[in-house]
Amino acid sequence: MILMGLIDTVTTKYLRQNDIFADAFNYFVYNGEQVIDPSCLKELDSREIDVPYGGVDGAEQPVQKTRDVIRSVVAMTDKQTAYLILAVENQASIHYAMAVKNMVYDALQYARQVEKAAASHRESDDYKGASGAEYLSGFMKGDYLMPVVTLVIYWDAKPWDGPRSIHEMFQNRDSKVLALVPDYKINLIEPATMPDEDFDKFTTTLKEVLAFIKYSRDADKLKDVVNTDDKFRDLGRIEIDVLNACTRTELPMKENEEVLDVCEAIQILNERAEEKGRIENLIQNIKSLMETMGWSAEQTMDNMKVAEVDRELVIPFL
């Protein structure tokens, strides 16, 4: 539970950076094309957001606090401004009801938009000329909703084996029944199944972070990936925090350092692992001889010609 909280904290902090946030959506929505400009992104309070409809004074729409990151992006359309709510759900472990979870979040978001539009019209008293249907619903014919796009980023090296849509969660797969039931699919970035060429579609360190996660369980491949990407030579603290939390790699980073050479860090970790294995093997050999020969720990280490520096390491375990 503590680890899950840590992953949520570091990944949310990471995604709050405009360039990282835009990079995720540019990859998923536009196949890497730089459509969403990070400079146009504005971080919003998790409790409210301005909406472009409602009464003459506009309306403020509370949003779900369960969102990890909420941002808006302004894009030009034909003779008008289009507003788009972008939302990210950080997911450190598989949620087998994610499709329902996101559907509920988004449905509540749309319902809130309608409610706030009606409240804004009432406050502005601008129902003059409205039809009876408009007056009763509170939502005017000229009002409109902003689309909500939810993107799930799965911060794990394991493949996602949960349902990817509402239809996949039904036991009854009768095609005629399903044709009448709207499906709700999750938008998912899943490192484990991403083709290697897809990582080049990112323009930020999201490329390195997701690639590292994908190959974190394959030491040889990870070494190749890290050694062929120069950005791993000076990865920032926030990225290292994400990698350490999501992969439990424990990349060593000093408190006064802001960047880390991951190539060098992995080499250090490998050397530490080898040394740990050597010491554990030495301890086992000493214990085995002590039991077989009836020698004391000191006699055993003398006969094995164990170096003084190693003796200091193994004595506490004998």
Side-chain angles (χ1 to χ4, degrees):
M1 188 65 68
I2 294 176
L3 179 60
M4 286 297 142
L6 175 61
I7 293 175
D8 286 343
T9 298
V10 297
T11 55
T12 298
K13 180 180 178 181
Y14 180 56
L15 287 169
R16 280 205 174 103
Q17 301 173 100
N18 282 22
D19 58 338
I20 303 299
F21 190 92
D23 204 19
F25 278 93
N26 278 329
Y27 162 74
F28 192 84
V29 180
Y30 299 107
N31 197 35
E33 184 181 351
Q34 298 304 292
V35 175
I36 301 174
D37 184 350
S39 65
C40 292
L41 289 172
K42 177 184 177 183
E43 185 164 6
L44 304 164
D45 189 295
S46 62
R47 295 166 297 180
E48 60 184 15
I49 177 176
D50 291 335
V51 294
Y53 53 69
V56 294
D57 296 325
E60 290 188 346
Q61 170 214 345
V63 299
Q64 300 304 304
K65 292 182 180 180
T66 46
R67 295 293 192 184
D68 291 310
V69 182
I70 299 276
R71 293 178 185 269
S72 67
V73 58
V74 180
M76 298 301 294
T77 60
D78 294 340
K79 299 182 179 179
Q80 64 179 347
T81 302
Y83 293 79
L84 178 66
I85 299 175
L86 301 179
V88 171
E89 281 290 336
N90 294 333
Q91 196 62 32
S93 58
I94 295 174
H95 193 302
Y96 292 101
M98 180 58 73
V100 172
K101 183 180 179 183
N102 283 3
M103 180 179 68
V104 170
Y105 287 169
D106 292 347
L108 289 173
Q109 184 73 258
Y110 290 128
R112 181 64 68 182
Q113 290 185 37
V114 172
E115 292 171 3
K116 293 303 295 182
S120 181
H121 284 304
R122 287 194 298 270
E123 292 172 6
S124 301
D125 193 23
D126 61 354
Y127 281 118
K128 294 179 182 179
S131 67
E134 288 177 307
Y135 183 81
L136 288 175
S137 68
F139 198 78
M140 305 286 278
K141 187 176 181 179
D143 289 336
Y144 57 90
L145 297 175
M146 290 187 294
V148 178
V149 180
T150 299
L151 177 59
V152 177
I153 301 182
Y154 179 46
W155 304 97
D156 201 290
K158 299 191 301 292
W160 178 280
D161 67 355
R164 295 169 184 262
S165 72
I166 294 294
H167 280 192
E168 290 183 22
M169 299 178 68
F170 295 142
Q171 184 175 20
N172 181 0
R173 298 293 181 85
D174 187 312
S175 60
K176 291 187 176 181
V177 172
L178 292 183
L180 301 175
V181 180
D183 201 0
Y184 195 91
K185 299 179 180 179
I186 64 173
N187 302 314
L188 178 69
I189 290 182
E190 176 191 11
T193 60
M194 286 177 60
D196 285 350
E197 57 268 23
D198 267 22
F199 291 106
D200 289 329
K201 296 176 182 178
F202 293 103
T203 61
T204 68
T205 57
L206 200 53
K207 170 186 176 180
E208 285 70 38
V209 168
L210 294 178
F212 191 102
I213 290 174
K214 175 177 180 175
Y215 294 113
S216 58
R217 299 187 178 192
D218 185 337
D220 292 334
K221 183 62 177 177
L222 180 61
K223 183 179 179 180
D224 290 341
V225 168
V226 169
N227 288 334
T228 55
D229 185 343
D230 288 341
K231 285 190 177 180
F232 276 112
R233 296 290 179 181
D234 58 352
L235 217 53
R237 176 175 293 276
I238 190 169
E239 286 82 6
I240 298 302
D241 286 344
V242 171
L243 295 180
N244 282 339
C246 295
T247 67
R248 305 189 191 185
T249 307
E250 298 183 359
L251 295 169
M253 193 166 192
K254 299 177 182 178
E255 290 186 8
N256 61 341
E257 293 179 337
E258 290 304 321
V259 296
L260 179 71
D261 184 333
V262 177
C263 305
E264 183 179 316
I266 289 180
Q267 180 63 33
I268 292 173
L269 290 178
N270 289 338
E271 290 174 357
R272 288 179 179 176
E274 291 175 2
E275 177 66 6
K276 181 180 179 182
R278 187 182 70 83
I279 293 300
E280 288 177 346
N281 187 56
L282 179 58
I283 291 171
Q284 285 299 114
N285 289 338
I286 293 173
K287 286 184 175 180
S288 179
L289 274 176
M290 288 173 63
E291 183 178 345
T292 302
M293 305 302 293
W295 295 336
S296 67
E298 197 66 33
Q299 287 175 317
T300 304
M301 288 188 287
D302 285 342
N303 289 323
M304 291 179 65
K305 296 182 171 40
V306 176
E308 191 63 36
V309 64
D310 287 339
R311 295 188 185 212
E312 294 179 2
L313 295 174
V314 303
I315 284 177
F317 300 97
L318 298 177

